[in-house]
Structure formats: structure tokens, C-alpha cells
Amino acid sequence: MKKVIFLFAVLTGVFNNGYSQIITIKNKLTYQPVQGAVLINHNPWADVSSNKDGQADITVFKGAAQIEIRSMGFKSITVGYNEILSGGNTLFLEPVVFELKGTVVSATRWKQSSDNVPSRIASIQPEDIIFQNPQTAADMLGNTGEVYIQKSQQAGGSPMMRGFATNRLLYTVDGIRMNTAIYRSGNVQYVILLDPFVMESAEVAFGPGSVIYGSDAVGGVMSFQTLTPEFSYQKDPIIKGNAVARYSSVNNEKTAHFDVNVGWKKWAIVTSISHFNFGDLRMGSHGPDDYLKKYYVTTIDTVNMAVTNPDPQVQVPTGYSQINLLQKIKFKLNEKWNFQYGLYYSETSDYPRYDKLIELKNGAPKAAVWEYGPAKWMMNNVIATYINQHKLFDEMKIRLALQNNEESRIDRDFSGSKRYRLRNQKENVRAWSGNIDFIKSINKHHVFYGIEYVYDDVKSIGTAHDIRNGDPIPVDDRYAQAKWSSYAAYINYQYQLSKPLTLQAGARYNQYDVVLDYSRFALNSFLNLNTVTVTHGALVGNLGMIFKPQESWILSLNASTAFRAPNVDDLGKTVEVKDGRILIPNPDLQAEYAYNGEVNISKYFGDIFKFNVTGFYTYLDKALVRRPFKVNGQDSIFYDGEMVMVDAIQNAAYATAYGFQLGFDLQIANGLMLTQHLNYQTGVEETDDGQTSRTRHAPPTFGVTRITFSYQKLMMQLYSTYNAKLKYSDMSAEEIEKGWMYAKDADGNPYSPAWATLNFKVKYSVFANMELTAGLENITDVRYKPYASGLVAPGRNFFMAVKASF
């Protein structure tokens, strides 16, 4: 491998031993190193970050007149390259309560100051993750108080943002698209495959992100940056790492994590392993009795029986386990080129679909078995970065990735003709992707542009057998066999018109095509589709403005569009007969489009108070929804021994979503801080009779209020999370159909009650390399369900975590 890289370097003429210029960034008050400080030069463009020891290699900035240095919790400074060297290669940052210039974010695929982005972005820092100790990545997002998390089962977590969810949100890992062609419109759980312990940072960009990320980025983008291998800036190699152990009482959680980094001058590797084990989840004691789990299903000698649950507060079955692995290797060829290889792997055990196991039919359980088989996700990627002042770019980044996704659904009815049929629908998606991104800065002009290619190969197979004798039973695959492709070019332009005013505009053209083979479907005898190719294009753009009339004021406006191309879940899925209706594939689909406008205002009152508010409105046109359909002019077909009505996914509706996000930080006294996040969202969606209903993915008003005290080695936080009531008359039509998941009002109608929890957490640094964190969550033991969830939230929970570093 080294010989190949060396030969490449010689042939391209870029090999150069060079000379590294290392600086150290420290806290001005404590003289401790500042990790994660970002150094940026805008002309020409370049950026680096400081490591755990506060060290950074600034060779790439040689001769730069203005290097901006930012880190959360510190006052930003701007210095020249020569000024740094003359100061002894050490820089000191002054701690502040509020940083007026914002933090550095990379959810836009390149590093930018958050105050230069016209849309709202929430950042999650490593210290937040360490203190909050989320059990899953979904919980990590929910802890922001700005992302709502729905759960159908304990091994789940479907984010909701601004009235959108599921395949209208986009996930990225280290800048690489995670969404595949089978991300469905129903609640999804893919985010739990990510490991919170390996997050260097995570960012949530609210609103359309299709200009940079393409299809699905309608309601927002969740961007996760994982551990980066660190080089040694000294003569000897560096070895550093972390070990974590955690226990939680509410589900008997036992979690362990270990990571290690070994760095040399030009090579660095980081390895991480995490194992999670969760038992059945216990709900709270005080709340609606409708939520109690009074029974569970067992099967003895092929006979299904509903057995009394000895403790109805324990949700049986909900337990599962998971393992996550990460391996990265980084090579620095010279001061211009560096290469990184990453291997990511996640696998769960089987996990029950709890919301399906509490559904009743004629007073008895509907399902005897409903679970997901092991979810497996593996990604291999190579990221090459080239930094050099070129006519066309200052920085070029190439990302190549191959992902393999495997999931399955296993189900069997409790009674009826299918009580002996155990069905397994298994899907595998191999996803190839390639991006080339460029950055070019000329004075006050900054251009970010690139090209992208995505190819998903979908394999789906359905099998079933009779549990009495093992005889095979023919069943349809869940999806058509398919190949989904996307080709795109995009550009984003930013211009500082004056010191207080910055303008931004962007555009993307995306061509996509889908090849579907329906020949394996039994329904194809009616449809006569065989192989179908769907090809369409999409054009989206954005226009934004950031205005800073004073140092303490920031006003931004943003207008943007987004699209979601029909994927295999839309074009090639069939669903068995339910309530006399069957869903069939419809290849005549086009992309749905979103049109969004938002206003963001931030105001700082010295080191005392910080306030921000965002108002938004989004209109979704040509929405892909399930509607009655006709086959050969007929609205029903004779299928599987009965006449059934026909439905299909169609571009047949519109939807709106609007609301506001509000937050503030108040310093009550030195070390004592009050913070607040409040989110209101609502909207309507068109129903099949031309009427409107509340948007399904707009949760009730929710938020979090925290009081945090910090002093030297100690940090304590008392906080409350809360959720407003959603009465029956305000429920969406789709949620009303799932009434078994909800509490019942005085009239026996489903509704979502209001709830609030009280929680306390504490962290103490026992030694320089050891931290203890503990907490008592849901102190009052409230029994509640987050909106649209089948799973009841955890009851009172005590947790303790120990982290050791070396």
C-alpha cells in the first residue's frame, strides 16, 4: 500500500517532506489545552482543528494575514500567521459565557461559522454527550430539546423536525449520505445504528438541505462527525484512548465502550468498540392505565396464548443488544494531501416491534410474533483531501463510500388462517456513492461546489413456513428488485456585500432513475409490469441573507426549496390485504417538492442573556401519499380468494408545516446558567376526500428547561422536559386510525396527554483522567408516551457511568 501511495505521489509531483509548524492553543485562565478549536482562513480557504492536547499544524496557513480561531465557550480571535510565530507558537483563548460570532459547523459539508449560515443549526458537542449519557443516538438528538423522537420499540427512534420525519429527513455520517432507496414513509429506526461514543460532534440543520445533499433533505439534515485519527506532533508516537462503563436501572442497561488512538508523524489510526445490552423497559407508575402491558404472547406446541403479565409496568418484550465497531486510518502524504480510510459496522440482535404487539383484533392480540431481524450496517469509505491555492479551488475533498444495509421483518398472526405462517421479509441494499467537493475563496467571494453520484442496489426476498411442519408457504417479496441511481451537480455562493451584510445563494440539478423488476410479485399477473424504468430530474435552490447591524444582533432570512425523489419504498412495495384493501406498486411517480421560508433572530445582552427565535413556513407540493387506485380501469381485484380494493402511492396531495423555535440562555450568577428550548409546530395535509387533517409528523409543543451549575471539577444540572396535550379533535387522521397506541379521553377517543418530567444529573472529575457521571431521570416516575409512539417512555431511572482516559 505504501509503495502505491509513494508511486502516486511521484507521478503527480506532489510529494514534499515539507516542514510542519505546530502551535498550542490554551485556556487563558486555566492554561489547559483547548481541544476542538477550529482555525479558518477565508482567502485562500483552509481550515484545521486542535487535538486533545490543544495542538494544531498551521503550515497550511503560511503567510496568511487573517486566521480566525473559534471554539465553543471561548472568545473568537483573528491573528496573522507571522503574529502567531512571533508570539512563541502558543495562543490563549479567553473563556466567555456567550460567543457572539457563533460556533463552527460543518452540516453544510464544509466548515462555516454558524453566524454565517442563514438557516438554524443546533450543535451537539462531545462534552454534551458525555454529560447527558444518551443510551442511543436517537436519545442524543432528543436531548437537544429541538428534535422530537418517536419510538415504536425500544430499539428505535424516529426524529421529527418542523413537521417532517422518516424519508423526508436526511442522515449523513462524515459527510456521506446514509439514506438508502428503502427508507420508508413510516417511522424509521436507522439512527440507532450509530454509536454516540464515537461522535466528535453532531449537528442538526433545520429546513431544506437539498442543494447540498439532494433527495430527502426536506425537513432537515442530521450530520454526524465521528472520531478522526490524530497525528503526533512530537518525536515519539502518541497513544491515547477512553474506556466507559454504564449501568441504567430502568431497563437493566449494561454498556461498555473502548477507543484508542495511535499517531505518528504521517500515520494515525483510531479503533473503537461499543457493546450495548438493554433488558425490557419499565414504564412509570403515575399516568394513564391505557398504557399498561397487561399481557404478553407465548406459543406452546404451536398454540398461541395470551399470558397475564405479572408486572404490567414492564413492557414485555422490548429488550435487545447491539455492537458497534469503528476503524479509521489516516495518512498525511505531505502538507497538501491527506487520505483517510474508514470502516464502520453496527449490528443489533432481533428486536420486537412493540407497537404491533399491543394491537388488538376482536379483543385478542393481533400478532403472535412481530419483530425485526438483526439490523446490520457496514460502511467502507475513503476520503482524500487536497489543499492548495489553485485557479479553480483552494481545497478539494473526494469521498468514496460503499455501504451494506441488511434488515428483515418477521411476523405471524395470533389467530386466523395465518397463525401458523411465520413470514420473513429480508432486504439488502448495497449503496455506492461518490462526491467531489471544491471550495474557492477570492476576497469576499466564497464558492462551494461539487458533483455527486449515488447508486443503490436493492435485493428483497420473502419466505415463509408452517410452524407445525416446516413446509414452505409462498409469499411475496416486500419490494421489487431494483436499482436506484442519482446524479447531481451543485453550487453555493456566499458574498460579503459589506461588513454587516452577507448574501448566499445556491442551486442543484439532480437526475435520478430507478429500474424495477416486478416479475417476482404474484400481483404482476394483474399489473403486467415486469421491468419498468423511471427517469426524472429535479432543480432546487436557495437564497439567504445574514445581517448584523451590531455585534450583538444577527438577523437572517432564508428561502429554499427541496425535493424527495420517489424511491423503491414508493415505487416498488406491495403490502398484504388489510381491512379489505391492498397496496400495489405504481411506477408513474414524480418527485415531491417543498418550498420553505424562515426568519432567524439572535440577540446578545453582554455576558448575561442570549436570545434566539426562528419562524418558518413550508409548503409540500405533489406529496407522495397512499390513495385509492385503479388497475385496468377497475378499483378492485380478485386476489388471494377475495375481492379487495386497490390503493397505490400517488402524487396526490399537499401539506403545510409552520411554527417557531425559541431558545434563550441566562447567566444567573458565575457558574449558574438557565437555558430554555421551546418548539411549536403545526400544519395540515390533504386527505383523500379533499379535506385536510393535522400534519401527522407535527408533534405537540415540546421543550426543555435546564438549570446548570459548574464549579471547578463539578457540574450539576436540574432539568425538565415537557410536551403539550394534543386532543382528539386535533389529531391527524392517520394517528386516529392507530387508536390502540393512545390514551382514551372521557368519550373513549384517542388523544395524546400532556406530560412533564423532572431530572437531575451530576458529573465529577475524580482525577485528571477519570470522570464519574450519575443521574436520576423521571424522578416523579411519570407514565407517558411521546406523541405517535407505541412504546411507553422510561419510568424512574438511575444511571451511573465511569469514564477513564489515558
Side-chain angles (χ1 to χ4, degrees), residues 77 180 262 265 344 491 680:
I77 62 173
T180 71
V262 182
K265 291 286 187 180
Y344 314 66
I491 186 170
Y680 170 80

Side-chain angles (χ1 to χ4, degrees), residues 93-393:
L93 298 184
E94 180 183 351
V96 293
V97 177
F98 304 123
E99 172 46 55
L100 302 183
K101 294 185 178 181
T103 58
V104 175
V105 296
S106 55
T108 51
R109 213 183 238 144
W110 55 87
K111 291 181 179 178
Q112 286 183 282
S113 301
S114 58
D115 60 331
N116 284 330
V117 179
S119 56
R120 187 181 184 94
I121 296 180
S123 296
I124 305 172
Q125 300 301 315
E127 52 268 29
D128 300 325
I129 301 172
I130 293 170
F131 182 69
Q132 295 296 337
N133 263 284
Q135 290 192 343
T136 68
D139 296 335
M140 178 184 73
L141 291 169
N143 284 339
T144 64
E146 298 186 71
V147 180
Y148 199 87
I149 301 297
Q150 178 277 349
K151 290 188 178 184
S152 298
Q153 64 277 334
Q154 188 172 197
S158 187
M160 296 184 183
M161 295 164 53
R162 292 190 175 182
F164 297 99
T166 64
N167 56 14
R168 292 183 180 129
L169 300 178
L170 188 81
Y171 306 85
T172 72
V173 179
D174 292 333
I176 296 165
R177 175 190 182 91
M178 191 178 178
N179 293 42
T180 71
I182 63 170
Y183 271 37
R184 61 188 182 274
S185 58
N187 296 309
V188 297
Q189 66 275 5
Y190 302 109
V191 73
I192 70 159
L193 296 174
L194 304 179
D195 182 358
F197 288 112
V198 302
M199 297 299 164
E200 281 191 341
S201 67
E203 292 153 5
V204 181
F206 295 92
S210 284
V211 167
I212 300 302
Y213 289 107
S215 179
D216 304 359
V218 174
V221 176
M222 286 156 283
S223 175
F224 304 93
Q225 291 79 47
T226 62
L227 293 173
T228 301
E230 292 183 15
F231 296 112
S232 173
Y233 295 134
Q234 303 166 1
K235 181 179 179 180
D236 298 324
I238 59 168
I239 301 176
K240 60 179 67 175
N242 303 280
V244 180
R246 183 176 64 217
Y247 172 78
S248 298
S249 63
V250 75
N251 53 2
N252 200 27
E253 178 209 10
K254 303 178 209 55
T255 289
H257 165 80
F258 176 77
D259 67 75
V260 61
N261 181 99
V262 182
W264 297 268
K265 291 286 187 180
K266 289 185 173 291
W267 290 88
I269 61 173
V270 64
T271 303
S272 169
I273 181 170
S274 300
H275 185 267
F276 308 84
N277 189 286
F278 305 103
D280 292 330
L281 182 66
R282 184 178 184 84
M283 66 181 76
S285 302
H286 310 294
D289 288 345
D290 303 289
Y291 297 160
L292 292 172
K293 184 68 187 299
K294 299 178 181 179
Y295 69 90
Y296 61 91
V297 174
T298 186
T299 301
I300 301 176
D301 295 330
T302 73
V303 177
N304 300 322
M305 293 181 289
V307 178
T308 300
N309 186 358
D311 188 346
Q313 289 181 231
V314 178
Q315 300 174 82
V316 181
T318 50
Y320 77 103
S321 62
Q322 179 173 328
I323 188 169
N324 284 77
L325 304 173
L326 173 71
Q327 179 69 67
K328 286 187 179 181
I329 303 173
K330 193 170 185 178
F331 172 63
K332 184 178 181 180
L333 183 62
N334 54 37
E335 304 308 329
K336 298 178 180 178
W337 279 101
N338 71 70
F339 301 86
Q340 179 176 283
Y341 164 74
L343 170 64
Y344 314 66
Y345 183 76
S346 178
E347 180 176 350
T348 70
S349 63
D350 293 356
Y351 52 97
R353 176 76 185 265
Y354 184 77
D355 64 336
K356 294 292 186 181
L357 296 174
I358 61 174
E359 184 177 2
L360 300 178
K361 183 178 181 180
N362 298 324
K366 185 175 181 179
V369 176
W370 215 122
E371 64 184 18
Y372 289 101
K376 301 177 183 179
W377 173 66
M378 182 170 69
M379 178 168 70
N380 289 270
N381 67 32
V382 175
I383 301 176
T385 304
Y386 178 62
I387 301 176
N388 191 26
Q389 192 170 359
H390 187 276
K391 290 182 179 180
L392 298 179
F393 60 85

Side-chain angles (χ1 to χ4, degrees), residues 694-734:
R694 181 186 174 93
T695 298
R696 172 190 172 195
H697 290 131
T701 301
F702 70 97
V704 61
T705 302
R706 307 179 191 272
I707 298 178
T708 307
F709 174 74
S710 301
Y711 179 73
Q712 296 182 355
K713 298 180 178 182
L714 177 67
M715 181 177 180
M716 297 187 296
Q717 186 176 97
L718 181 69
Y719 68 97
S720 176
T721 59
Y722 37 85
N723 186 128
K725 174 182 176 180
L726 196 63
K727 58 185 180 180
Y728 171 73
S729 59
D730 292 332
M731 295 271 287
S732 78
E734 288 186 72

